[in-house]
Amino acid sequence: METTRTDRYKTFILLIVAAGLIAGLAFYFAGRTDIADLVWIAGVVPALAALVVEILRSIGRGEVGLDIVAALSMTAALIFGETLAAAVVAVMYSGGTFLEAFAEGRARREMHDLLSRVPRTATRHRNGALEEVPLDEIAPGDRLLIRQGDVVPVDGTVVSEAAFVDTSALTGESLPVRLARGADAMSGSTNAGEAFDLKTTREAKDSTYAGIVRLVEEAQASKAPMSRLADRWSLGFLAVTISIAFAAWWFTGDPIRAVAVLVVATPCPLILAVPVALVAGLSRAARYGVLVKGAAPLEALARTRS
């Protein structure tokens, strides 16, 4: 699976936080609580710093999310000496971001597989000879040679006697389809028979397969109604959480009560559950040749009953 620098960074943060939590617990049960606190702090600080940077970037984009609650809970726990609680929250959050990166990585792999089918050049008839040309230079009316095993680069009509094409990547049809002279051939299908000639009817950017690629890209970038609902309520949830935390501190005089409220209110799994599930669902569907138009239709499918 391909990994990006961000994926490796999130994995590194999770390893640091998890190692800090485990090592701290080892020192704690060995009776060295002072060293355990230092180890937990050392594990939390990188995760907290990364989270603060992400929050600042989100605010710069005009977005306010529930990540702020996680940052507040870790900060308050460190300030008031609840280092174990801070370490647990850091592991929860870092683990969630790692899972999100893992799901996005799978989606990128499926997208890479989809894009890898698109040929970069095509063989065009010109003045009684054949020439290799980039797809951008193909215009409607050009005559192309589609060799056996080639992927049809653009939409067109068959000008040979017949053609056998594999359209499984487009329609899910497992058997090759016979196309007679004048029949339409869709880009993205594979020539499963002898070489044939194709007269193009569209440019590459307007062809069927290019549209499918754009559709998958838009689907992976889309937000489902459930996800947008969580975004809308994040600011209110943040305000209520901070209010309850300060009230607990005010009425009891114990700051640890405020820390407890913040830690309990940290919705690390809930923050990431919707986007991870949707990205993973779109990715898995694409693997089996099912292209879902977006996150909203995928969520609607989950509510269907047979």
Side-chain angles (χ1 to χ4, degrees):
M1 179 185 299
E2 296 184 354
T3 58
T4 64
R5 182 178 301 177
T6 302
D7 295 341
R8 292 192 294 269
Y9 175 72
K10 291 180 179 180
T11 303
F12 178 68
I13 291 294
L14 175 60
L15 291 176
I16 290 179
V17 174
L21 176 61
I22 295 172
L25 288 173
F27 281 111
Y28 178 83
F29 288 113
R32 300 302 304 272
T33 57
D34 53 340
I35 299 180
D37 287 337
L38 293 176
V39 172
W40 284 330
I41 292 173
V44 171
V45 168
L48 180 57
L51 178 56
V52 170
V53 171
E54 184 62 31
I55 290 173
L56 293 177
R57 289 176 178 174
S58 299
I59 293 176
R61 298 191 299 265
E63 302 173 358
V64 179
L66 296 175
D67 295 351
I68 297 178
V69 179
L72 288 176
S73 64
M74 281 189 276
T75 303
L78 290 178
I79 291 175
F80 294 107
E82 297 297 322
T83 53
L84 176 57
V88 171
V89 173
V91 169
M92 290 172 56
Y93 186 82
S94 301
T97 55
F98 169 79
L99 291 176
E100 183 179 31
F102 178 78
E104 290 176 349
R106 292 190 59 175
R108 283 194 302 271
R109 185 186 66 182
E110 302 299 337
M111 175 59 69
H112 179 269
D113 293 341
L114 193 66
L115 293 174
S116 65
R117 288 182 46 82
V118 181
R120 299 288 180 258
T121 61
T123 304
R124 182 172 62 184
H125 291 274
R126 177 60 61 88
N127 299 326
L130 296 175
E131 60 178 359
E132 291 290 325
V133 295
L135 291 189
D136 294 339
E137 295 185 11
I138 297 176
D142 286 346
R143 185 178 180 127
L144 306 180
L145 173 64
I146 311 300
R147 299 182 178 92
Q148 186 176 25
D150 285 353
V151 175
V152 178
V154 297
D155 292 345
T157 57
V158 177
V159 292
S160 299
E161 288 299 323
F164 287 88
V165 294
D166 178 3
T167 61
S168 57
L170 303 173
T171 64
E173 174 61 48
S174 59
L175 297 177
V177 178
R178 184 183 185 278
L179 301 178
R181 183 191 296 270
D184 293 331
M186 295 184 293
S187 59
S189 57
T190 304
N191 182 10
E194 299 296 329
F196 66 91
D197 288 342
L198 179 81
K199 184 177 180 181
T200 63
T201 55
R202 295 179 183 176
E203 295 182 355
K205 61 184 178 68
D206 298 324
S207 294
T208 301
Y209 203 68
I212 291 175
V213 171
R214 285 194 299 270
L215 183 65
V216 175
E217 289 174 339
E218 293 171 359
Q220 291 183 347
S222 65
K223 283 188 175 181
M226 184 183 296
S227 182
R228 291 194 295 269
L229 180 64
D231 292 341
R232 287 200 301 268
W233 285 98
S234 61
L235 190 59
F237 182 83
L238 175 63
V240 171
T241 299
I242 294 177
S243 300
I244 295 176
F246 272 105
W249 188 357
W250 178 269
F251 287 109
T252 64
D254 185 3
I256 303 302
R257 300 294 180 90
V259 174
V261 172
L262 291 174
V263 170
V264 171
T266 302
C268 294
L270 297 179
I271 294 172
L272 302 168
V274 172
V276 169
L278 292 174
V279 171
L282 293 171
S283 172
R284 180 58 62 88
R287 169 179 292 185
Y288 290 105
V290 179
L291 300 176
V292 184
K293 187 176 182 181
L298 186 64
E299 185 177 322
L301 285 174
R303 295 194 296 268
T304 60
R305 295 292 183 270
S306 57

